[in-house]
Amino acid sequence: MTRTGYLSIFLCIFAIAIALSHFYLFSRISYFLQLVNGQRCFTALLLSGLAVLTFFSIPASRMLPREAEAAFAWVVFTWMGLALLMIVVMVAMDTFWLLINFIPPTPLHDPGRRLLLQRAVGITALGASGILGSFSLWNGLRQVTVKPLTVTLNRLPNSLDGLKIVQITDLHIGPIIGSEWLRQIVNEANALKPDIVVVTGDLADGTVEKLRAHISPIADLAAPLGVYFITGNHEYFYGVDQWCAHIASLGLRVLRNERVTIVSDAQCDSFDLAGVDDWSSGQFTGQGADLPKALAGRDPKKALILLAHQPIAIDEAAEHGVDFQLSGHTHGGQIWPFNYVVRLWQPYVKGLHRHHDTATQIYVSSGTGFWGPPMRFGTTAEITDITLRSAS
């Protein structure tokens, strides 16, 4: 499938979701607040306008200069996050309203009390949504935290015990996130004094031409054993070959279904680091993840770490004897309860796991940046500071 075809399907699903969610909000606000004709008309027009803006946010952003795109994104994406939280609160209030109708004796049998309680429920829902939205916005924009992690690998040589990998992922440099924020992330990562830095996809939301200056701080990532990059799904929306060429020109080693041998300057022992293209990239003509190609000819006695943007790559990784997979993509769900939706197609949403009954472990980062709403609820952004330990 071409990039245009993939985008068309996405926009169709996106439009349906937007229409249904905004209609639900209109119906519940109208019901609980007992809106009369003029108020209903105003609310319908407001929500319809926001729905249209939300739908056109993705195609419109490609045509606007970055400054206009940023202003547009702040309004639309913040509304997207707030709307999701409002839906969650309204569903909770609907459930409460349904239950209270079955509790005798109930004040709902008195029409006056029923209307008073109904309006109180509506005001409470809107107030709770505002509080949750404000917290989520603060949580999404606050300083990214460093998350320490220790992982023991059976095949890691004793001489490489204590080797440190810093993972950053899902930075989503674009209309809201720019070079100043990225500079802070790069400085924090370098301050951890890693042996290796890995950037596991979704670096940018835009073309190379539009974001060249905002991506430039990534060139200052430094590690004695290398800085590595793999593609995420978003690179394919904006020209993956152009992005990979540009990222390579900034000094990062781009692993596209490739493997490198990591050897410490002080030791002769080594392990393999492989990187595959995004799991969904096969939907684009001439693209696709190819783990067998990346692992061809390798020494099976060596420890093997795989960089794969999406956790769903873990099944194939376990089949090929990968010791440890590093992934991102999910953002940990970013805004609860979206983590339950993510779980429908990803085996892991965040954290460290051992995959079923295999020796393969996987760590899924909650992401360093955010996509869409500049908000997080139920999860936090992270720079992951990983220390490898030898089992022996």
Side-chain angles (χ1 to χ4, degrees), residues 30 48 106 204:
S30 298
S48 296
T106 174

Side-chain angles (χ1 to χ4, degrees), residues 193-272:
K193 301 188 182 302
D195 298 294
I196 298 170
V197 175
V198 296
V199 184
T200 50
D202 282 4
L203 174 60
D205 281 326
T207 62
V208 174
E209 291 73 22
K210 184 180 285 190
L211 297 177
R212 185 186 304 272
H214 293 278
I215 290 294
S216 59
I218 204 77
D220 294 328
L221 283 172
L225 301 184
V227 181
Y228 300 90
F229 172 83
I230 60 166
T231 62
N233 54 310
H234 282 241
E235 274 75 35
Y236 294 85
F237 302 150
Y238 301 99
V240 65
D241 294 328
Q242 294 89 337
W243 266 118
C244 287
H246 182 64
I247 291 167
S249 74
L250 296 177
L252 283 71
R253 173 66 188 274
V254 180
L255 297 177
R256 302 197 66 185
N257 302 319
E258 297 175 88
R259 181 186 81 254
V260 293
T261 298
I262 304 297
V263 183
S264 171
D265 291 339
Q267 304 291 340
C268 60
D269 292 325
S270 63
F271 68 90
D272 286 338

Side-chain angles (χ1 to χ4, degrees), residues 302-348:
K302 290 184 178 180
L304 173 60
I305 296 176
L306 174 67
L307 309 180
H309 179 65
Q310 298 195 37
I312 199 170
I314 188 64
D315 287 325
E316 186 179 23
E319 291 174 2
H320 285 82
V322 169
D323 293 276
F324 184 39
Q325 176 176 314
L326 276 169
S327 297
H329 183 64
T330 66
H331 297 213
Q334 190 165 319
I335 300 176
W336 183 93
F338 199 69
N339 53 305
Y340 295 110
V341 179
V342 175
R343 190 66 176 84
L344 295 177
W345 70 87
Q346 295 291 342
Y348 306 105

